Amino acid sequence: MPRTDSAPRTARLADILNDHHARPGPRPPLGVRAKYALVIRRFEFLPGYVPQAVVPGLLGAASWGQLGSLNAVLAMLWVISGLQIANMANALADREADRRLKSRQSKAVYGLGVSRVVLHTAVSTLVYGAVAALLAARTHHWDLLAYAAAFLLIGFAYSLPPLHLKSRGIWHLLSLQTGCMLLPGVAILRAYEHATPWAHVWTLVGFAMVVTALFVTSHCEDYVVDGQFGTRTYVRALGLAGALYLQSSMLFLGSLLLLGSVWAIDGPTWGFVPYAVAWLPSQRLLFAAVRVVRRVPLDEAMDYFHRKSLHGPYHSALMSWATVALAALVLAGR
């Protein structure tokens, strides 16, 4: 149901967490339920999520042995689990809008049952909190608990009232960069027991700009539907052209910041080569999208983004893995 400003926020939240129109019926077979459980966690995003955890793991490690330590492995898995919790909250909140363009998500929510999706989210959140506490106790870096809480808060606030950051214009984009990339990245740096390489926070800022610049291209295909449902994403706030100009700038400037900070901290590395090879077609993708929205009517632009909806996430994964290669060569040179 479309959200309205007059609806009390608590009522909207209750609406999301309950399905008042549910009718009892036979539960799907176990295999189908397992498939639905993967769908609401967006397991297709794993090729992008793994690098988001591995890059700070590589940058924070002083040796390959430390990268394979229990703390590092736990921290990387913990970050991925936090991203999946945010995905489940998003699947719940957007299940009606998803009927139009992402029916697979909506079908999974209703196939499992709204109450069971809430239970999946609650159990995953408890495990997430326990791992954060374990890491803080093992490292004595108690600020990890603050990063964990902020990461989780943004993950829920992205989709749920009262903040619903996805509908807050430019805050939508900033919440993705901070909540999905920067906070978990800093938490992984802090999961090591040795001194934290704080200078590499700038590398992570550049990494966050690069990855989100490409991944959020998929939001352009929802431009019309988001308007119908009153969801003021950053694309709705800036317009298609403005959003794509910003994303193209983010990819360029984020790459400069990432490469410049690595050079300043660890010196030049052959890892710059695969990064540049991945960057060129990715930058070209955004340039092409800018040309489309400047030259064609809205309905033709929407058709273009529907056909190209996965290209941005694919290029985001490409840039992520190129950054993994870069960070791995940095670690190899230490």
Side-chain angles (χ1 to χ4, degrees):
M1 156 183 315
R3 301 179 181 87
T4 60
D5 292 336
S6 60
R9 290 172 180 173
T10 53
R12 294 202 320 246
L13 182 59
D15 232 19
I16 290 169
L17 299 180
N18 296 277
D19 186 3
H20 302 293
H21 306 291
R23 297 180 179 177
R27 293 185 70 185
L30 178 60
V32 175
R33 297 201 304 273
K35 175 185 174 183
Y36 288 160
L38 296 178
V39 169
I40 62 173
R41 288 168 171 80
R42 303 304 295 264
F43 261 62
E44 72 271 24
F45 289 170
L46 271 180
Y49 285 168
V50 170
Q52 288 174 222
V54 172
V55 165
L58 288 163
L59 294 174
S63 67
W64 290 105
Q66 284 188 340
L67 180 66
S69 67
L70 178 61
N71 282 9
V73 172
L74 271 178
M76 289 185 279
L77 292 175
W78 169 73
V79 160
I80 293 171
S81 75
L83 294 168
Q84 291 177 346
I85 291 169
N87 285 336
M88 287 189 280
N90 185 251
L92 277 170
D94 290 355
R95 61 184 182 267
E96 287 301 312
D98 285 347
R99 286 183 188 271
R100 304 240 187 141
L101 291 177
K102 300 170 186 171
S103 59
R104 183 167 171 262
Q105 288 290 306
S106 185
K107 182 180 179 181
V109 171
Y110 286 117
L112 280 172
V114 170
S115 62
R116 290 192 180 94
V117 176
V118 172
L119 181 61
H120 276 252
T121 308
V123 171
S124 295
T125 301
L126 288 174
V127 174
Y128 168 93
V131 174
L134 176 62
L135 285 170
R138 287 178 60 87
T139 61
H140 300 289
H141 294 165
W142 296 104
D143 56 320
L144 266 170
L145 297 177
Y147 294 126
F151 179 21
L152 195 62
L153 175 64
I154 293 175
F156 282 130
Y158 178 80
S159 304
L160 302 175
L163 293 179
H164 194 215
L165 295 171
K166 185 181 177 181
S167 193
R168 297 282 181 173
I170 196 65
W171 288 103
H172 168 212
L173 187 60
L174 292 174
S175 68
L176 286 172
Q177 292 177 329
T178 304
C180 292
M181 300 290 300
L182 189 55
L183 279 172
V186 173
I188 291 174
L189 292 183
R190 293 292 284 157
Y192 291 104
E193 296 180 16
H194 60 261
T196 302
W198 287 107
H200 269 306
V201 172
W202 290 109
T203 310
L204 296 179
V205 171
F207 186 44
M209 291 172 67
V210 167
V211 171
T212 52
L214 289 159
F215 184 79
V216 294
T217 305
S218 60
H219 288 288
C220 293
E221 72 165 324
D222 297 338
Y223 181 79
V224 174
V225 172
D226 283 336
Q228 293 170 349
F229 277 82
T231 305
R232 189 172 178 267
T233 63
Y234 85 98
V235 181
R236 293 294 309 180
L238 301 180
L240 283 171
L244 287 165
Y245 275 123
L246 177 60
Q247 289 172 225
S248 184
S249 300
M250 283 168 47
L251 178 58
F252 182 75
L253 295 175
S255 294
L256 286 181
L257 179 58
L258 189 156
L259 297 177
S261 60
V262 168
W263 189 306
I265 299 164
D266 291 291
T269 168
W270 284 107
F272 291 164
V273 175
Y275 188 93
V277 170
W279 171 79
L280 283 170
S282 299
Q283 192 76 61
R284 182 182 177 187
L285 174 76
L286 292 182
F287 285 158
V290 168
R291 286 197 302 270
V292 168
V293 298
R294 288 181 58 192
R295 295 178 181 178
V296 305
L298 179 60
D299 58 341
E300 292 184 31
M302 288 296 94
D303 180 63
Y304 171 83
F305 286 115
H306 292 332
R307 287 185 286 109
K308 303 282 187 177
S309 62
L310 293 178
H311 286 214
Y314 285 153
H315 278 268
S316 179
L318 174 66
M319 290 301 301
S320 295
W321 285 103
T323 309
V324 168
L326 168 60
L329 287 169
V330 167
L331 178 57
R334 286 178 180 165

